[in-house]
Amino acid sequence: GLIWWDSEIYMFPFFLYTDPAKARNLLLYRYLGLEGARRKAQVYGYKGAMYPWVTIAGDECSGDWEYGMLEQHVGSAVSHAVRRYLETTGDDEFLWAYGAEMVAEVARFWASRVTWSERRDQYVINYVTGPDEYAVGVNNNCYTNFMAKASLEYAAAVLRRMATEAPDRWAALRDRLGIEAAEPDHWGDIAAALFIPFNAKLGIHEQDDSFLD
């Protein structure tokens, strides 16, 4: 009965392309777990929603700090699934009613999670465990940073579209979540300046800052 990030990345696409109604239900499950994700973010001092590494009813069920605390890419997988669902089905009603809130809260988490590096002159995400669960507590896991960047960009785009195409729904969401006018632009700025590990000499993206060492 446990749900992991694998659900959105590996299982969700199968249902999306064979039974979209079931895919929608998988996303509704994540919406119903949004309060648990918010509670987890608050526990660790972040904003928005920090989706659990493993859960049953929305709250973190892992007692392993190196996974439950440090595998922070789960929310990005949820945003990715929302994006793929919308691109495939065009179900704007789902986006306005549920999806926009999820992607906005994931973006808020990343905006509070990144750190500005004076040395790199970019934002970084230090001390995480990416999908390679044997590389624990690394800096700038490439997958995590890529997905955070995509989540921030998508959330900004969704809220701008919502403000134009569903202004009443946008106003209600904005007021309920206390979204400030500058937040979507700030998300875009973070995404544009987020460091992505790349080794120019070898021409490859490094898994994290220290992987090749």
Side-chain angles (χ1 to χ4, degrees):
L2 297 173
I3 303 297
W4 315 71
W5 69 281
D6 311 60
S7 300
E8 282 72 35
I9 294 300
Y10 295 112
M11 294 172 59
F12 179 83
F14 170 80
F15 291 106
L16 177 60
Y17 297 122
T18 60
D19 193 342
K22 283 189 173 64
R24 189 178 191 273
N25 282 341
L26 287 173
L27 291 177
L28 281 174
Y29 167 83
R30 287 299 196 181
Y31 181 78
L32 294 173
L34 194 51
E35 284 305 316
R38 289 187 177 114
R39 285 191 289 270
K40 182 176 177 181
Q42 291 172 358
V43 164
Y44 290 113
Y46 303 122
K47 298 179 180 178
M50 182 181 179
Y51 272 95
W53 177 60
V54 57
T55 187
I56 297 173
D59 287 290
E60 181 63 66
C61 291
S62 171
D64 299 319
W65 67 270
E66 63 267 46
Y67 307 125
M69 184 177 79
L70 298 184
E71 286 210 37
Q72 299 172 358
H73 52 83
V74 186
S76 295
V78 174
S79 288
H80 179 77
V82 171
R83 182 175 190 168
R84 290 291 175 259
Y85 176 77
L86 264 294
E87 290 174 347
T88 304
T89 66
D91 187 357
D92 285 341
E93 176 56 32
F94 176 87
L95 185 63
W96 308 147
Y98 309 107
E101 184 173 352
M102 287 192 284
V103 301
E105 290 292 72
V106 170
R108 279 180 147 177
F109 166 73
W110 285 123
S112 69
R113 177 61 177 86
V114 299
T115 302
W116 180 257
S117 169
E118 294 290 346
R119 178 173 67 89
R120 295 188 188 276
D121 198 31
Q122 288 180 286
Y123 287 102
V124 296
I125 303 176
N126 290 333
Y127 204 58
V128 296
T129 299
D132 174 5
E133 295 169 356
Y134 296 96
V136 174
V138 300
N139 294 341
N140 294 306
N141 172 259
C142 196
Y143 175 88
T144 301
N145 286 28
F146 258 125
M147 291 292 278
K149 176 182 176 74
S151 298
L152 289 159
E153 291 171 341
Y154 183 59
V158 163
L159 294 196
R160 291 191 191 103
R161 184 178 165 225
M162 192 177 188
T164 300
E165 299 181 19
D168 292 342
R169 308 287 283 275
W170 158 239
L173 181 66
R174 179 195 62 206
D175 294 345
R176 182 158 55 85
L177 298 185
I179 299 174
E180 298 180 2
E183 276 192 80
D185 288 339
H186 182 52
W187 299 340
D189 292 341
I190 294 173
L194 185 56
F195 172 68
I196 304 294
F198 183 77
N199 186 302
K201 182 178 179 181
L202 297 178
I204 61 171
H205 289 284
E206 298 185 43
Q207 181 168 299
D208 54 67
D209 281 356
S210 59
F211 189 73
L212 295 181
D213 296 327

